[in-house]
Amino acid sequence: MDTLLSDHYVEDPKNHAQNLVKEALKTQSATIRNLRNFSGGPGALPESVLLQVQESILSVPEVGLSILGISHRSDWFAHVVEEAENNVRSLLNLSPDYHVLFLQGGATQQFSTIAMSLMGSSPSPAEYLLTGYWSGKSVADAQHIGAVRTVWSGENEHYARLPSDQELSFSPDAPYLHYISNETVEGMQFQRVLGLDSVPRICDMSSDFLSRPCEADRFSMIYAHAQKNLGPAGVTIVVMKKSLVQQCRSDLPRFLDYRTQIKAHSIFNTPPVFAIYVVLLITRWLMNEIGGLSNMNTLNVSKAALLYQTIDESDSFYRGRSSIEDRSLMNIAFNLQTPELEKLFLEESSQAGFSGLNGHRAIGGLRASLYNGVTLRAVEDLVDFMHQFQHQHSN
Ligand code: PMP
């Protein structure tokens, strides 16, 4: 044992050994539960990354200090930001026309900052798609700042589907178009890029960023908080085209001005050092262990296919919430015949070691989130459980 902790705590070597075994057992059972975490976010992270995170809490190997006590002004942390940025660039195949930022305030802060920065750049209203719970929040925050035209709304249909191209008509005069690529609550995902090439396209990809290739160069701005596919809560990645930065007004508070953050390489004030470090580890994992976004997508497609197949072949025991063609690969929202049966499903699945399967509090029901860190094995286990549950509870 060469840990520093042992130097502090070992009095009786026999006790120490017993403690280590106890700790290992605890970790093992924690690991099993972690493998069956289907939370909507913060979501499950890959085990190999969690092990590195665990080590870094005590001491980052190349620094010899805990990640929780390393200065954001150190050269090492500047390199962390630089490597994380380069990894995002390479995963997305980004041209040098883009900035990559690591910001605070979550995706919610971006709802307002985008509107404040860009609404004045044209006399026409900004255009928004209203496709679910989170785009509803983005629209409300933008309306608080200025004029919004809702290009399409799924509200009257309870956000059960996404619009077809025929239902969408965009204005060439809008300062920007904003939409959400994956509605986390309802479990719907666009499989195409929307809008006119002549109008800046801004997309909240919080719940599917780096889960698949996304034609990043067709967007003027992409943003995503980390706590689904990229790391823990606390940091939001913003990918922004240089030409869009030029259109942003420059009289906002300095903290909210994208230029400030660009100039400071995301270290204007104390950034979430830990969260950014985990994002770096995740990007390394995506590149080195998974082999890039195309491979990640293949894996995510097979995970979702397995679960949707179980739903579709259940004789309506399980009922998918959204229209089949708009189904999300990330968030699978479904229902059972009655709320009582859903409650029982949650109880029994929890006893079987699964967690995070409750639907969002806004709509209830059930939801399995299959973010990058969720393994195919975990989905196989869930599907087995669902078959057993159906067998026991169908009349
Ligand atoms: N956008 C989407 C698509 C989301 O799923 C969420 C939260 N789950 C948000 C925005 C809000 O993010 P935050 O809590 O980081 O502000």
Side-chain angles (χ1 to χ4, degrees), residues 105-108 111 134 180 182 184 204 206-207 225 227-228:
T108 302
F111 293 164
W134 283 110
I180 290 186
N182 182 70
T184 322
D204 174 358
S206 288
S207 47
H225 59 205
Q227 65 263 28
K228 310 280 199 259

Side-chain angles (χ1 to χ4, degrees), residues 40-41 105-111 133-135 137 180-185 204-208 223-228 233-236 331 360 367 371:
T108 302
Q109 176 68 65
Q110 294 307 310
F111 293 164
Y133 179 85
W134 283 110
S135 53
K137 299 272 181 197
I180 290 186
S181 55
N182 182 70
E183 287 285 3
T184 322
V185 172
D204 174 358
M205 294 194 189
S206 288
S207 47
D208 63 0
Y223 62 98
H225 59 205
Q227 65 263 28
K228 310 280 199 259
V235 64
T236 298
N331 310 100
H360 188 273
R367 176 179 58 171
Y371 299 129

